[in-house]
Amino acid sequence: MHATNERLKMSLYAALMAGITAILAQLTIPLPLVPITGQTLAIGLCATILGRKYGTMAVALYIAMGAVGLPVFSEAKGGFSVLVGPTGGYIIGFIITAYITGLILEKTSFTLTPAVIANIIGMIITLVFGAVQLKFAAGLTWDQALSGGVYPFIIVGIIKAVLASVLGITIRRRLLAAKLLPKQETKAA
């Protein structure tokens, strides 16, 4: 019974993080091809707070909500067309980002330095997925895809990776201290 309760609690946290991701996605700075959004910060938070399994579940739920038409993507967009459009690669990449970020933290420790490294690797994964789809969906050259969909986001991405790490580790520690996260979900706190 205890394991079932823990899975239910963690699933509820994943749903909550999916909602937080939808909210942060609305924080947008428009740019010509791809806007700067709070989505990537939220993806880092999902993985840093919840780890690989439930962080990825949160991201998958967020994407599923958007795919069925809920206006959860940046600029209150939703629908499957967003996922197959020019910026859809970033969103699809979020799943791999959350998984790899959470995996790195589980294999090392949920502390600041590994979190920063994991979140920067996650940022790179998101940018790679985004650039590939941007190139093909928008019919761009590689130089155009990188110039419009990667280079403008590197500095901001690093800042968001550090912020996701600091906030995520702090929140995770407080949830553990309050016994709201199960201890077996972490190697080090």
Side-chain angles (χ1 to χ4, degrees):
M1 185 68 163
H2 178 70
T4 302
N5 288 341
E6 290 299 331
R7 282 193 304 270
L8 176 60
K9 183 190 323 180
M10 292 305 295
S11 295
L12 290 172
Y13 285 141
L16 176 64
M17 290 304 296
I20 289 170
T21 303
I23 293 166
L24 287 176
Q26 304 318 309
L27 301 176
T28 303
I29 300 170
L31 292 178
L33 285 174
V34 180
I36 294 173
T37 73
Q39 284 175 121
T40 50
L41 171 64
I43 302 310
L45 286 171
C46 289
T48 304
I49 295 168
L50 300 178
R52 170 184 49 168
K53 179 179 179 181
Y54 291 101
T56 304
M57 180 188 289
V59 173
L61 178 58
Y62 164 72
I63 293 170
M65 290 187 312
V68 299
L70 295 176
V72 297
F73 298 141
S74 68
E75 300 172 344
K77 293 179 183 170
F80 190 73
S81 62
V82 175
L83 297 178
V84 296
T87 61
Y90 299 96
I91 298 168
I92 299 300
F94 291 162
I95 294 172
I96 306 301
T97 294
Y99 185 86
I100 297 297
T101 302
L103 178 65
I104 291 168
L105 287 166
E106 289 172 8
K107 296 292 184 185
T108 58
S109 67
F110 285 87
T111 56
L112 188 58
T113 299
V116 170
I117 292 167
N119 276 289
I120 288 174
I121 290 170
M123 173 204 65
I124 293 166
I125 292 168
T126 297
L127 291 175
V128 167
F129 271 80
V132 169
Q133 187 157 329
L134 182 62
K135 183 221 183 303
F136 292 107
L140 303 175
T141 65
W142 282 112
D143 187 51
Q144 291 169 324
L146 293 172
S147 295
V150 174
Y151 303 147
F153 303 100
I154 293 173
I155 304 257
V156 172
I158 292 169
I159 292 167
K160 287 193 277 186
V162 171
L163 187 57
S165 300
V166 171
L167 289 174
I169 294 300
T170 301
I171 292 167
R172 182 178 175 82
R173 285 183 177 155
R174 289 188 180 163
L175 290 171
L176 283 166
K179 297 183 181 355
L180 294 172
L181 280 181
K183 291 248 187 239
Q184 66 268 20
E185 293 290 324
T186 182
K187 285 189 171 219

